[in-house]
Amino acid sequence: MEFSELIKTATVEDVVLWRPGLPAVRGTLCITSHHLLLSSCPRGDLELWLLIRNVDAVEKRVQNLGCYQPPRSGGSLRDTSVSGSSGSITLRCKDLQVLQLEIPGMEECLNIASSIEALSSVDSVMMMYPFFHRPPSLRLRQGWHLCPPERHFQQVASQTSRWRLSTVNRDFSACPSYPAAVIVPAAVGDDTVAKAAQFRQGGRFPVLSYFHPKNGTALLRSSQPLTGPKRRRCREDEKLLGAILDEGGRGFILDTRSAQAAKQARMSGGGAEPKSSYPQWRRLHRALERGRPLQESFAKLAEACGEPAPSVERWLGRLEGSRWLGHVKAGLSAACLAAQCLDSPPCPKTPGSPRREGCSVLVHGAEGTDATLLVTALAQLILDPACRTLEGFQALLEREWIQAGHPFQLRCARSASGHTRGKQEAPLFLLFLDCVWQLSRQFPFSLEFGEQLLLTLFDNAYASAYGTFLCNSEKERSLCGVKENTHSLWAWLNQPEEQHKYLNPLYSHNPSVIWPSVEPQSIQLWQGFFLRWIRPSQHLDEAWEEIRRLVEGNNSCIKEGTGKRQSQSLPEPTLPAGTRELLLPTGNAEGQDGDKGQQITEKPADHTKNPQQITPKKTPDHTKTPQQIPPKTLSRSPKKTQITPKSPRSHKKTQIPPSNPQITKKNQT
Amino acid sequence: VEQVKLLDRFSTSNKSLTGTLYLTATHLLFIDSSQRETWILHHHIAAVEKLPLTTSGCPLVIQCKNFRIVHFVVPRERDCHDIYNSLLQLSRTAKYEELYAFSYNPKQNESEQVKGWQLIDLAEEYKRMGVPNDYWQLSDANRDYKICETYPRELYVPRTASKPIIVGSSKFRSKGRFPVLSYYHKNKEAAICRCSQPLSGFSARCLEDEHMLQAISKANPSNRYMYVMDTRPKLNAMANRAAGKGYENEDNYSNIRFQFVGIENIHVMRSSLQKLLEVSGTRGLSVNDFLSGLENSGWLRHIKSVLDAAVFLAKAIAVESASVLVHCSDGWDRTSQVCSLGALLLDSYYRTIKGFMVLIEKDWISFGHKFSDRCCQLDGDPKEISPVFTQFLESVWNLTEQFPQAFEYNEAFLLQIHEHVHSCQFGNFLGNCQKEREELKLKEKTYSLWPFLLAEQKKYQNPLYNPDFSPELTLLEPNTVSFNFKFWRNMYHQFDRSMHPRQSMFNLIMNTSEQNKQLEEDIKELEAKIKQRNGRSDVVLVKEQERTAHPAPVALKSSPCFQKEQPPMPVNDAVRAIEGSNTADNRYSELVSEFSKAEPAVVSLEYGVARMTC
């Protein structure tokens, strides 16, 4: 197949481009094998490159000028077309951008539309742009080994010896959608694993997804067991799962389907683990939407966002009707549940608390390639601070989505406007990104990366110049030679000048678990994505820049001090020498942080002295320690000082000048 | 009363705090076993409800005007009944003199008190706007509240409006609230004026009133027509005609452009808020129920209509240079909303902390928004209660969301003002109009809120504020597309720190605040130690001096406090709480590493506020 066959008309002059919220552009339109290019005439100051793969749907409308002119703003521009007929093409992109092209000449218009349609649905992986894209700054093969399973295993192995790296799948025979190396319990041999694989749909036997060092618990994922209507059993699978738990220990199986759906799956050969054969495991059901309903939800929401000027009622109604936020909530709460099972306080203080504590968790749905990955990846993000760094997040995606065999090519073939076409499309990855975004909203300084990274990831998953999200599994990738012939997205992102854009300036390492709130009041629409092309974001962007500027000024001071953020390869902030002074009034105590850093390094002896005083072991006597230090309030008696600072911050607000009146009143009682 | 349980509104497990409940003359105080205190001002209590007896005791639900809802379980029914009765009595004050403001004593001497009241000087403010000038003058017509009781003494009217015209016009206006100047835009020479509805009925006319409007129109040399905005829906305005009131007939007034805006009345707003609170207070709410509840309450639609009206007003002035006369029925609810928001959009001064105080003092307090009735400060007609001022604050909040850099103040400032509108702790918002306030001798007997807010203004500053963002007198043009209106979680769930069911299940929320506090205390302690050590280190000494030289910095020592006193946002709380809970177990170095990050944390906290719902 040659691309030239698909391109019927390569160049059209005098095309007008309309984009929502932006002035119209007139210029020359070119269609190349992978791009749509519009350069504005006469000045050529604007060049628009659109990856044709990004086009989700093409709508065309042609009319002869003589008959009927639809009432459209800027109709006067059309008068210049000489052919007497014209057409307009609406390109709905996968990233929800809508472009409207007005093309003089009916034939050209139809040709362009069909060329774009044909080019955007080229099926062969090898014909896709990543195989042709050669950015000058990168070398091939760079960035492909960001997170091989071996490295993940090394991390696990440094903490426990209960797991081993198995190469049972080295030729992808046990499971075509798994990578060549996976982590399985050390106590189980490869032949057992291979047998267990036959008992799982698609061969996706239980493998380690994440080892939680705090409690020594493990997060596993698999696909459904093939129990079928006859309730088949598989000794090897039972053994495999049994080897994960201690004698008498308990584990949880988090099924991402409803109990009903799991039962029904038996009719088609699937099912869930029966309690009788897996006595140590308890099943939990958390129904997550996937497949078509999710795709439709996405389409509805995108449609709602595209509606111009709805009333508040209509907007909320459509938001509700799309049910998207409900899916976000469900995804987050399922992940929380998994994380909650894995992580628990070592010594629960109150007996009434739930007993799902410190247990290993196996997550699966049906195929184990969609909702399962959503849950496991999110749970890790919640639990593990290492996953919240830019590097760690990339590794997480690589491990839990790409290598774990999320069928990107099938799921992301079409976006919101292409809902009529296939059955395989589902925006699971978008749902994941949305959940991550919710986390980043709720914990604005716990994630090292910002919204921009999530947007870029979405764009690249749906249409990319890089090979990272190509194909459906590692097996396909190795067949197509993706790693040899395309560039890795990670290599591109991790170039210092690129990486800079994706960092969250507010990030500070947060070693603890981040539990998101899943109340509906806390779940918000990801406007940065869904309204990316619609809402004017200038002011928000400016504010964001301001924050970046403030924090970078701050960081440069810190660096002067200790070089605190060693781990980051952040480019030196390009602030002029005088910036620090300029920043002072707004940046508050920037210098101080730097100072602190210095002080700390100067006095490492402090380490030895202080721990007894700091580490509160939740002992009752500890609560007294802080009280004895008189807080610096202006109140008069020591009794008062205790009360004022201690009233929890929410309550403080009731009495603004805090100390006196309350005291007097209290004395009255 | 001892052994009282405080239930958590949103926790899914039935966890509760046990503690002691105290009833004082002004506050309800709950101290739990870990010595945490919950103070509730009696004036904040909107409703007390006794639920049916359960096995664990007698549940008592208290709803506050600042949207806090507390749920106590009292073990003995008799006690519960006693508390219930005393709270009912205490929360319903019959006389102004019994309000907290009259007993509140912040240890200020008299001169400070007087100075506090002089902080906001409206005469100064009118001077800043550029009046009196060739077209506008100060009128002494209402010096003794003879013409209009609910207006202030000082009123600015067009120079061409003589006293008979004023008197005549006021007779033709509901409650005598004749058209007066609210804001003067000196670059455009256009004015925002306000009044109440005309008593036009179906056909009545008043020549003086027509003259009055003409005078206003003439006072604007740059445009010959003026707008008359009736902020009511047209239907309501027409219904009022039957009662001898109504709206201006365009035929009778020369050069006016009449416009309905369609903001609903106080009763609609009250029930809308009621619906909103019902929805947001439901436990175990699904996303869809929440959204449909939000939709059905219509609350966001009302906010949008208020803001839309303000945008219309501001554009008329800034774009068309036309003066605008705004009225609703009585001209103290919707008119106040629209005039003040319009001015806020037009004039960047009102986007500063001081300016915002001036704006509230001018358009709300002095022009007689009935704070006492609307906020139910005294036991009165429940039909008079309405969240009009809350809507104003929410509209401002929406603007701060859209323009993160345009406002000097932050969300906490708005919340704090909201708090004190209901608290009756300061004299500013007591009473319904200036005349009443003078009769109450508020300036001698009570204190003004503003100096206290100014004193702690660091808490209310928006770190992203950029004074150059919009030069003086440039129009702020908000986008009032529906999706820009969001549920103000920090207002309606300000006190629900446990909007994290996972946490409470994890036993975390129980300890969060406490541990957080400990951590902050630890930080202070450590910081003090570091300082001691630094005293000996030369290098640091230099830096130390540098620090003291900084004009504005929130000293690190106080920055934890700063964080602490932030309005409790469930989300950010959790960040801190969790950081707190776990870092506390960590080694010293990590503690300090978090500690030294305190500053960015503060910045970002603000940012979190600003963009929380984006």
Side-chain angles (χ1 to χ4, degrees):
Chain A
M1 186 189 69
E2 283 293 319
F3 288 117
S4 53
E5 292 167 17
L6 300 176
I7 305 172
K8 293 183 181 152
T9 302
T11 333
V12 192
E13 302 273 338
D14 219 18
V15 172
V16 184
L17 167 75
W18 304 85
R19 282 171 295 178
L22 291 170
V25 179
R26 177 187 294 271
T28 309
L29 180 76
C30 291
I31 303 275
T32 71
S33 48
H34 292 107
H35 282 96
L36 180 149
L37 168 64
L38 186 109
S39 60
S40 68
C41 291
R43 280 176 295 153
D45 48 0
L46 185 133
E47 262 192 17
L48 177 94
W49 288 81
L50 180 76
L51 203 59
I52 290 185
R53 187 81 197 154
N54 191 2
V55 174
D56 201 22
V58 183
E59 288 162 20
K60 45 188 184 276
R61 209 179 48 189
V62 253
Q63 73 266 327
N64 283 312
L65 264 188
C67 333
Y68 166 68
Q69 233 180 347
R72 286 225 14 236
S73 57
S76 57
L77 282 165
R78 211 184 292 119
D79 300 345
T80 48
S81 61
V82 274
S83 64
S85 65
S86 80
S88 72
I89 300 180
T90 307
L91 300 179
R92 299 191 178 276
C93 299
K94 289 177 179 169
D95 56 11
L96 306 189
Q97 192 178 11
V98 178
L99 303 174
Q100 194 155 16
L101 296 166
E102 292 209 21
I103 298 169
M106 190 168 11
E107 205 189 325
E108 277 86 353
C109 177
L110 292 175
N111 282 344
I112 295 276
S114 67
S115 312
I116 294 175
E117 260 171 0
L119 287 169
S120 67
S121 46
V122 168
D123 273 334
S124 159
V125 176
M126 312 283 278
M127 301 299 279
M128 285 182 191
Y129 187 54
F131 285 88
F132 300 87
H133 181 55
R134 293 291 173 265
S137 56
L138 296 179
R139 284 176 293 111
L140 278 174
R141 292 168 185 271
Q142 188 185 342
W144 278 111
H145 301 285
L146 182 77
C147 180
E150 289 78 13
R151 186 176 306 165
H152 182 218
F153 176 68
Q154 274 171 13
Q155 285 167 10
V156 175
S158 66
Q159 283 147 346
T160 173
S161 56
R162 299 190 57 173
W163 299 89
R164 68 186 178 87
L165 193 69
S166 163
T167 50
V168 66
N169 199 35
R170 73 189 153 276
D171 49 1
F172 305 109
S173 58
C175 170
S177 60
Y178 272 167
V182 289
I183 304 174
V184 295
V188 178
D190 272 356
D191 45 340
T192 316
V193 173
K195 288 238 177 73
Q198 289 167 11
F199 185 62
R200 295 275 172 179
Q201 184 178 8
R204 294 176 70 88
F205 53 91
V207 294
L208 181 79
S209 158
Y210 169 65
F211 180 77
H212 192 46
K214 185 179 151 205
N215 301 22
T217 50
L219 178 66
L220 300 111
R221 54 180 154 74
S222 70
S223 61
Q224 62 180 349
L226 299 173
T227 50
K230 289 185 186 153
R231 301 183 181 242
R232 275 194 329 129
R233 293 179 64 172
C234 173
R235 297 280 165 215
E236 286 79 7
D237 191 61
E238 287 162 27
K239 192 178 163 201
L240 177 61
L241 283 182
I244 294 157
L245 302 178
D246 292 323
E247 199 68 38
R250 279 177 123 357
F252 284 93
I253 295 175
L254 182 64
D255 197 323
T256 60
R257 303 163 294 181
S258 64
Q260 184 74 20
K263 224 175 243 170
Q264 275 172 0
R266 281 219 295 267
M267 303 318 291
S268 48
E273 294 82 356
K275 211 165 179 192
S276 53
S277 351
Y278 301 86
Q280 284 181 297
W281 295 86
R282 268 194 55 203
R283 262 191 339 215
L284 303 166
H285 290 278
R286 281 289 178 279
L288 295 183
E289 207 57 84
R290 68 202 84 200
R292 268 200 86 91
L294 193 63
Q295 178 75 9
E296 270 158 24
S297 165
F298 175 35
K300 272 189 199 158
L301 180 56
E303 204 184 322
C305 292
E307 184 180 347
S311 74
V312 176
E313 262 80 11
R314 186 167 166 76
W315 160 247
L316 288 173
R318 297 196 70 168
L319 194 60
E320 179 202 342
S322 79
R323 312 187 80 85
W324 179 261
L325 293 179
H327 300 319
V328 172
K329 177 183 151 117
L332 274 176
S333 40
C336 281
L337 179 68
Q340 192 184 348
C341 295
L342 291 168
D343 182 87
S344 70
C347 47
K349 259 166 90 183
T350 49
S353 55
R355 273 152 292 283
R356 292 192 285 265
E357 275 154 359
C359 297
S360 290
V361 181
L362 168 67
V363 185
H364 71 70
E367 293 162 319
T369 53
D370 296 302
T372 306
L373 304 181
L374 177 80
V375 173
T376 55
L378 277 177
Q380 293 180 48
L381 203 64
I382 290 169
L383 289 173
D384 187 0
C387 291
R388 296 179 218 136
T389 62
L390 184 64
E391 199 191 342
F393 187 63
Q394 290 174 4
L396 178 74
L397 287 175
E398 185 71 31
R399 232 176 338 116
E400 287 302 303
W401 286 90
I402 298 168
Q403 290 172 7
H406 177 66
F408 276 101
Q409 198 187 342
L410 291 172
R411 297 289 181 260
C412 304
R414 293 284 157 196
S415 167
S417 25
H419 55 286
T420 47
R421 310 212 180 185
K423 271 188 180 168
Q424 289 287 342
E425 289 84 10
L428 256 307
F429 189 60
L430 171 65
L431 188 60
F432 169 71
L433 294 177
D434 200 339
C435 292
V436 177
W437 181 82
Q438 305 286 347
L439 283 174
S440 76
R441 273 277 65 97
Q442 298 195 17
F443 300 92
F445 19 99
S446 290
L447 300 182
E448 195 191 2
F449 46 90
E451 182 178 43
Q452 191 53 45
L453 179 74
L454 303 178
L455 293 174
T456 307
L457 287 172
F458 174 86
D459 294 348
N460 279 286
Y462 278 80
S464 179
Y466 303 94
T468 299
F469 291 108
L470 286 183
C471 302
N472 293 314
S473 64
E474 287 293 284
K475 184 185 179 187
E476 287 181 23
R477 262 167 229 130
S478 74
L479 285 178
C480 296
V482 167
K483 292 186 183 179
E484 291 75 33
N485 297 314
T486 70
H487 287 281
S488 162
L489 175 67
W490 310 132
W492 173 259
L493 290 185
N494 291 334
Q495 298 175 96
E497 65 273 18
E498 278 292 311
Q499 196 183 41
H500 176 68
K501 291 186 217 159
Y502 305 108
L503 289 174
N504 172 10
L506 305 173
Y507 174 70
S508 74
H509 180 72
N510 173 1
S512 53
V513 179
I514 49 172
W515 298 113
S517 159
V518 293
E519 292 293 334
Q521 288 94 328
S522 319
I523 307 279
Q524 291 154 357
L525 176 71
W526 184 11
Q527 292 204 346
F529 172 74
F530 289 103
L531 302 168
R532 173 159 41 150
W533 309 102
I534 300 158
R535 68 164 184 180
S537 61
Q538 181 206 355
H539 300 302
L540 299 177
D541 292 344
E542 281 172 5
W544 187 243
E545 267 319 300
E546 175 72 13
I547 291 172
R548 196 183 285 272
R549 210 170 60 83
L550 286 178
V551 178
E552 273 178 11
N554 192 341
N555 281 353
S556 66
C557 298
I558 292 178
K559 276 194 182 154
E560 278 169 31
T562 42
K564 241 182 173 337
R565 299 182 149 196
Q566 333 74 330
S567 59
Q568 291 174 29
S569 52
L570 207 157
E572 279 296 323
T574 50
L575 292 171
T579 326
R580 188 170 158 202
E581 283 75 23
L582 290 174
L583 286 174
L584 279 178
T586 28
N588 288 339
E590 303 164 352
Q592 296 174 17
D593 286 352
D595 297 349
K596 287 287 131 19
Q598 272 198 350
Q599 290 154 16
I600 292 151
T601 39
E602 278 165 17
K603 306 279 173 198
D606 278 359
H607 287 242
T608 51
K609 265 186 110 179
N610 283 305
Q612 309 96 306
Q613 290 162 351
I614 317 149
T615 44
K617 289 279 181 240
K618 295 174 190 170
T619 43
D621 64 327
H622 182 80
T623 44
K624 284 177 194 157
T625 348
Q627 289 172 23
Q628 286 156 3
I629 309 149
K632 27 171 239 114
T633 30
L634 297 171
S635 12
R636 281 154 186 88
S637 79
K639 201 177 176 193
K640 285 169 195 167
T641 49
Q642 278 194 10
I643 290 164
T644 15
K646 270 169 81 319
S647 57
R649 65 185 83 71
S650 54
H651 310 133
K652 261 209 103 148
K653 313 195 70 225
T654 354
Q655 327 83 24
I656 227 235
S659 45
N660 305 314
Q662 311 156 9
I663 302 312
T664 43
K665 295 296 132 38
K666 199 186 173 191
N667 292 341
Q668 282 169 21
T669 50
Chain B
V1 183
E2 293 194 357
Q3 289 294 312
V4 173
K5 283 184 188 142
L6 174 65
L7 295 187
D8 197 320
R9 180 147 78 115
F10 280 99
S11 86
T12 43
S13 65
N14 280 326
K15 224 160 259 158
S16 57
L17 298 168
T18 310
T20 313
L21 198 65
Y22 297 94
L23 219 58
T24 73
T26 55
H27 288 87
L28 182 71
L29 170 62
F30 177 78
I31 303 182
D32 65 21
S33 45
S34 48
Q35 300 297 307
R36 265 188 309 163
E37 296 170 17
T38 308
W39 291 86
I40 297 170
L41 194 64
H42 292 326
H43 299 313
H44 268 141
I45 295 174
V48 193
E49 199 186 345
K50 238 175 24 166
L51 298 181
L53 199 67
T54 63
T55 47
S56 53
C58 194
L60 191 69
V61 179
I62 301 174
Q63 285 185 21
C64 299
K65 293 171 187 166
N66 51 8
F67 308 115
R68 180 211 290 257
I69 295 179
V70 280
H71 194 137
F72 290 113
V73 176
V74 185
R76 286 174 54 206
E77 201 190 354
R78 278 247 335 252
D79 293 340
C80 182
H81 194 71
D82 288 347
I83 299 174
Y84 177 73
N85 280 341
S86 16
L87 282 182
L88 274 191
Q89 281 176 1
L90 286 167
S91 62
R92 286 188 193 157
T93 321
K95 275 193 287 180
Y96 281 115
E97 282 76 11
E98 289 166 10
L99 291 175
Y100 184 34
F102 289 91
S103 57
Y104 174 67
N105 180 5
K107 296 271 185 305
Q108 272 192 346
N109 61 32
E110 231 163 82
S111 72
E112 280 172 322
Q113 186 180 10
V114 172
K115 234 193 232 161
W117 279 111
Q118 286 166 345
L119 186 71
I120 305 295
D121 181 3
L122 288 185
E124 199 63 36
E125 167 59 11
Y126 282 103
K127 217 179 275 169
R128 190 194 66 85
M129 288 182 210
V131 286
N133 61 11
D134 293 349
Y135 300 104
W136 296 90
Q137 67 176 2
L138 179 66
S139 159
D140 57 358
N142 202 34
R143 180 153 294 165
D144 307 312
Y145 300 115
K146 275 199 181 125
I147 294 181
C148 175
E149 293 199 333
T150 56
Y151 268 167
R153 289 174 191 271
E154 277 86 38
L155 291 170
Y156 291 81
V157 293
R159 269 189 199 279
T160 47
S162 62
K163 193 151 182 188
I165 289 182
I166 293 176
V167 174
S169 169
S170 79
K171 296 226 164 92
F172 188 64
R173 293 277 169 181
S174 171
K175 307 276 195 306
R177 295 171 67 92
F178 61 97
V180 293
L181 181 76
S182 161
Y183 175 75
Y184 181 75
H185 195 285
K186 57 185 167 206
N187 289 6
K188 305 280 181 191
E189 299 180 302
I192 302 177
C193 298
R194 53 185 294 169
C195 61
S196 61
Q197 63 184 342
L199 302 172
S200 55
F202 288 100
S203 58
R205 290 182 62 167
C206 169
L207 286 178
E208 287 92 343
D209 194 57
E210 286 159 29
H211 276 299
M212 186 74 195
L213 262 67
Q214 197 150 28
I216 292 173
S217 185
K218 289 247 173 71
N220 178 356
S222 43
N223 204 325
R224 37 178 288 281
Y225 61 87
M226 68 181 281
Y227 282 99
V228 175
M229 273 173 84
D230 190 328
T231 56
R232 297 168 294 183
K234 190 173 183 185
L235 213 63
N236 298 18
M238 283 165 69
N240 261 310
R241 288 213 303 210
K245 299 163 186 172
Y247 54 91
E248 290 83 356
N249 184 341
E250 255 180 303
D251 301 336
N252 297 342
Y253 295 85
S254 51
N255 297 325
I256 68 163
R257 297 191 178 178
F258 190 81
Q259 181 82 29
F260 285 111
V261 182
I263 303 175
E264 298 288 349
N265 64 23
I266 57 169
H267 311 292
V268 176
M269 299 305 186
R270 183 179 57 242
S271 69
S272 168
L273 180 65
Q274 194 57 41
K275 281 184 201 156
L276 181 79
L277 292 179
E278 265 166 38
V279 171
S280 67
T282 317
R283 276 169 74 158
L285 197 64
S286 82
V287 175
N288 275 0
D289 290 345
F290 174 66
L291 287 174
S292 68
L294 199 59
E295 179 193 340
N296 291 334
S297 77
W299 180 254
L300 293 182
R301 174 168 57 97
H302 299 316
I303 302 286
K304 177 172 152 69
S305 67
V306 171
L307 209 50
D308 273 333
V311 171
F312 178 86
L313 166 66
K315 280 202 173 142
I317 297 219
V319 179
E320 296 179 56
S321 307
S323 291
V324 185
L325 175 66
V326 185
H327 71 76
C328 48
S329 296
D330 289 323
W332 50 44
D333 292 318
R334 290 167 270 197
T335 304
S336 295
Q337 286 178 333
V338 174
C339 288
S340 53
L341 280 172
L344 188 77
L345 293 175
L346 286 166
D347 194 334
S348 60
Y349 174 66
Y350 298 127
R351 293 171 225 143
T352 63
I353 289 181
K354 178 89 185 287
F356 194 63
M357 295 172 178
V358 170
L359 185 66
I360 292 175
E361 195 67 48
K362 172 169 72 75
D363 269 318
W364 292 87
I365 297 175
S366 85
F367 277 115
H369 173 67
K370 302 206 289 176
F371 276 107
S372 180
D373 287 356
R374 297 288 177 260
C375 305
C376 195
Q377 290 170 348
L378 300 180
D379 196 15
D381 184 2
K383 286 219 170 94
E384 284 286 312
I385 304 171
S386 187
V388 176
F389 190 71
T390 309
Q391 285 184 322
F392 164 67
L393 291 179
E394 183 158 342
S395 307
V396 177
W397 173 76
N398 265 305
L399 293 175
T400 63
E401 286 278 286
Q402 274 196 47
F403 302 99
Q405 291 192 273
F407 292 83
E408 190 190 2
Y409 40 88
N410 60 23
E411 191 177 33
F413 186 58
L414 303 176
L415 291 175
Q416 188 67 273
I417 291 176
H418 183 257
E419 180 91 15
H420 284 294
V421 166
H422 293 97
S423 75
C424 306
Q425 190 175 356
F426 297 95
N428 303 60
F429 301 106
L430 296 190
N432 284 325
C433 58
Q434 292 296 61
K435 187 175 175 226
E436 211 173 304
R437 289 186 191 104
E438 284 178 22
E439 283 162 5
L440 288 169
K441 301 209 169 57
L442 288 179
K443 294 205 173 173
E444 291 126 62
K445 291 184 180 166
T446 68
Y447 296 86
S448 167
L449 167 67
W450 310 125
F452 291 93
L453 290 183
L454 273 186
E456 45 185 30
Q457 65 169 300
K458 279 202 180 98
K459 283 203 296 198
Y460 309 124
Q461 261 161 358
N462 169 14
L464 296 179
Y465 174 58
N466 178 2
D468 308 325
F469 175 78
S470 50
E472 204 192 354
L473 300 184
T474 46
L475 176 66
L476 211 56
E477 286 185 75
N479 188 341
T480 56
V481 185
S482 297
F483 55 69
N484 274 332
F485 293 89
K486 283 159 283 186
F487 175 70
W488 193 4
R489 191 181 46 200
N490 291 341
M491 173 67 105
Y492 303 106
H493 291 291
Q494 196 184 161
F495 298 97
D496 298 313
R497 281 178 301 153
S498 60
M499 288 208 60
H500 304 247
R502 302 290 140 196
Q503 277 190 334
S504 55
M505 277 170 94
F506 257 118
N507 215 359
L508 264 175
I509 203 75
M510 288 272 285
N511 306 318
T512 44
S513 157
E514 190 189 344
Q515 288 182 339
N516 203 12
K517 244 182 297 157
Q518 284 176 10
L519 187 73
E520 278 155 8
E521 298 285 352
D522 290 343
I523 287 171
K524 277 186 209 163
E525 186 188 357
L526 291 172
E527 205 252 356
K529 285 213 169 113
I530 289 171
K531 259 193 177 164
Q532 275 178 11
R533 257 163 253 268
N534 288 346
R536 285 172 245 140
S537 158
D538 290 337
V539 187
V540 188
L541 205 65
V542 177
K543 298 240 173 182
E544 192 81 14
Q545 283 162 353
E546 215 176 282
R547 176 191 311 170
T548 46
H550 292 170
V554 185
L556 259 172
K557 205 177 201 173
S558 65
S559 76
C561 304
F562 180 46
Q563 277 190 323
K564 196 170 146 190
E565 283 159 9
Q566 280 288 319
M569 289 160 288
V571 167
N572 284 321
D573 259 358
V575 186
R576 274 178 276 131
I578 293 169
E579 279 174 359
S581 57
N582 283 23
T583 336
D585 297 331
N586 279 320
R587 285 170 301 111
Y588 167 72
S589 58
E590 279 173 19
L591 192 64
V592 169
S593 80
E594 192 208 316
F595 159 46
S596 65
K597 290 279 181 189
E599 173 53 28
V602 173
V603 173
S604 54
L605 201 62
E606 300 301 328
Y607 180 72
V609 181
R611 291 225 0 201
M612 182 139 284
T613 45
C614 294

